């Protein structure tokens, strides 16, 4: 396959076409709002295309480690063991996007069960660590978002 | 409501059923921008007696375009009850197509308010770099607080019997905090932030308050200004419910973080002092920490709607660019809620201790 221009470059070029060629021809208020929204979504999609596989892989490793550590500290934590088994049974060797997303979601479920147990038990160190993991996750989301504000409101 | 060409005739036929002694001619019908959740239409109508009128139609979008699911029957019931009391000013709720038989979707017909929204007025001040302590900004802030403070003063006895009435504050918080986890479990993919928030809210409850009416989406885009005197008309009651009075405060803090200018951010203490003065609440109950807590609580329904819409799209059940556009609001929510949890844990625990000491000494 021809890999360059990369997917994110292609999407950003579509965005340029939208802004420079299509947008000026749109004259209704609803149409203009729609163009602004599509422009934003294309920017988001380009950022995801460029980085999401790496981000999901890195976060999955961290989430799995957290769940395993929680299970060691709180062996009766509800759902954590089963969630780790499900994660282990997931399509972990595949790099296809749907499979990556599936494994990422399974790791998220393991993290969720673990952090619920940590907060309910008042386990300070594990609670803080969960918060830090979610902070890292949020930082990636913010990179996808870029500049954003409501359009068409008010 | 979605078929623009057919709508004039459909609306005329509907108006004939609700006002059988008059005949209406619909001269124009167009979609309105400004709302994300419902479809809004505007119609210019002339009655047989010569009177002309502008009507606003508020209905559900097509199912595959629906981003946030709310109940038109419940909203109509709330509007009818609020119309009987003058506690909160709002556009008159005139008619309702309860089946969608006439207008193509369940739709509420409302009085048209000619004035701008408070959000658009604030936007103009923002665009001209007006400082937050300018008298015009302070005047808007005070009027906004006053409108917000009127909602919890609505007598619950007049509200629809169909409205959920929680047994007490604790059971209400049990149910509300659990929504984060319950909503997350319906999604096509996991969302650990939602699960964290539900667990965190349960671990850090603030002092309780009496349950009251809450608007559920009280923000400047949902306030229309009277073109003559600038008085407020509060619209979009689809999320109205009986809940904790700090929910509307908290939701505004969430909303204003992504829709500037904020009337709260420049001087939260002045904002809250006026609210307390208008509602007779105490500083132990209404303060920056408790409002921060309820910014997380109040966001669950709208937030869950946003991520559920993306989830449905992920399953191939819906489409629409607005869904993915608005997922950025979920990103802002994740970021702000986590920052809030980190900052609020200690002050909330201190407030709860103070409240428990007061209860013990009483």
């Amino acid at each position: 396959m021809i890999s360059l221009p990369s997917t994110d470059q292609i999407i950003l070029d579509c965005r340029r076409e939208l802004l420079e060629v299509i947008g000026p021809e749109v004259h209704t208020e609803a149409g203009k709002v729609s163009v602004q929204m599509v422009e934003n979504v294309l920017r988001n999609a380009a950022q995801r295309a460029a980085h999401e596989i790496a981000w999901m892989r890195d976060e999955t490793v961290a989430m799995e480690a957290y769940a395993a550590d929680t299970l060691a500290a709180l062996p009766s934590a509800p759902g954590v063991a089963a969630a780790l088994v499900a994660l282990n049974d997931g399509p972990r060797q595949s790099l296809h996007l749907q499979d990556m997303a599936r494994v990422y979601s399974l790791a998220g479920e393991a993290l969720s069960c673990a952090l619920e147990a940590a907060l309910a038990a008042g386990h300070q160190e594990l609670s803080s660590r969960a918060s830090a993991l979610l902070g890292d996750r949020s930082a990636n989301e913010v990179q996808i978002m870029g500049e954003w504000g409501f359009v068409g409101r008010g | 409501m979605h078929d623009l060409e057919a709508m004039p005739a459909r609306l005329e036929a509907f108006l004939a059923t609700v006002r059988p002694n008059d005949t209406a001619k619909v001269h124009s019908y167009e979609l309105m921008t400004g709302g994300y959740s419902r479809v809004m239409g505007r119609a210019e109508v002339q009655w047989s007696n010569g009177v002309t009128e502008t009507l606003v139609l508020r209905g559900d979008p097509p199912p595959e375009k629906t981003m946030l699911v709310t109940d038109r029957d419940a909203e109509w019931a709330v509007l009818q009850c609020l119309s009987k009391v003058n506690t909160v000013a709002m556009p008159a709720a005139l008619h309702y197509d309860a089946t969608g038989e006439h207008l193509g979707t369940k739709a509420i017909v409302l009085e048209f308010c000619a004035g701008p929204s408070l959000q658009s007025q604030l936007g103009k001040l923002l665009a001209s770099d007006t400082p937050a302590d300018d008298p015009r900004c302070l005047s808007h802030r005070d009027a906004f607080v006053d409108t917000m403070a009127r909602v919890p003063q609505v007598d619950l006895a007049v509200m629809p019997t169909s409205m959920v009435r929680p047994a007490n504050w604790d059971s209400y918080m049990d149910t509300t905090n659990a929504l984060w986890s319950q909503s997350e479990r319906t999604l096509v993919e996991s969302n650990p932030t939602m699960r964290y928030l539900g667990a965190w809210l349960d671990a850090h409850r603030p002092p309780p308050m009496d349950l009251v009416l809450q608007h559920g989406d009280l923000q400047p885009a949902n306030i229309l200004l009277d073109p003559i005197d600038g008085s407020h008309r509060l619209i979009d009651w689809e999320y109205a419910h009986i809940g904790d009075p700090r929910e509307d405060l908290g939701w505004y803090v969430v909303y204003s973080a992504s829709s500037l200018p904020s009337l709260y951010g420049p001087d939260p203490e002045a904002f809250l002092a006026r609210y307390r003065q208008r509602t007779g609440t105490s500083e132990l109950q209404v303060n920056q920490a408790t409002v921060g807590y309820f910014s997380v609580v109040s966001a669950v329904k709208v937030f869950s709607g946003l991520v559920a819409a993306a989830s449905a799209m992920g399953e191939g059940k819906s489409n629409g660019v607005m869904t993915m556009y608005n997922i950025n609001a979920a990103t802002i929510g994740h970021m702000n809620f986590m920052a809030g949890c980190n900052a609020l844990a200690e002050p909330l625990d201190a407030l709860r201790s103070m409240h428990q000491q007061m209860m013990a000494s009483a």
Side-chain angles (χ1 to χ4, degrees), chain B residues 1 9 53 117 138 215 312:
Chain B
M1 280 189 67
E53 188 176 14
S117 75
L138 296 179
H215 178 274

Side-chain angles (χ1 to χ4, degrees), chain A residues 38 40-41 44 105 108-109 111-113 115-116 119 131 134 137-138 141-142 145 148-154, chain B residues 34-36 117 120 185 189-190 192-193 195-196 199 219 255 258 321 324-325 328-329 331-332 334-335 338 342:
Chain A
V38 173
N40 194 287
V41 170
N44 297 162
S105 179
E109 174 63 17
L111 168 62
S112 296
C113 293
L115 65 81
E116 283 174 339
L119 281 160
S131 174
L134 295 175
R137 183 184 179 102
S138 174
E141 291 177 345
V142 169
M145 176 178 70
W148 185 81
F150 285 119
V151 297
R153 290 290 273 170
Chain B
Y36 282 4
S117 75
S120 71
R185 290 177 194 279
E189 67 172 342
S190 63
T193 306
R195 298 275 284 277
Y196 181 90
Q219 35 95 355
Y255 181 87
S258 57
V321 70
M324 285 319 297
Y325 171 78
N328 289 304
T331 291
I332 292 175
H334 284 158
M335 179 174 60
M338 290 307 298
N342 290 334

Side-chain angles (χ1 to χ4, degrees), chain B residues 59-75:
Chain B
D60 291 328
E64 72 278 9
K65 303 283 185 193
T66 298
M67 191 176 66
L68 301 169
V69 179
T70 55
D71 185 343
R72 293 289 69 67
D73 294 346
E75 184 178 5

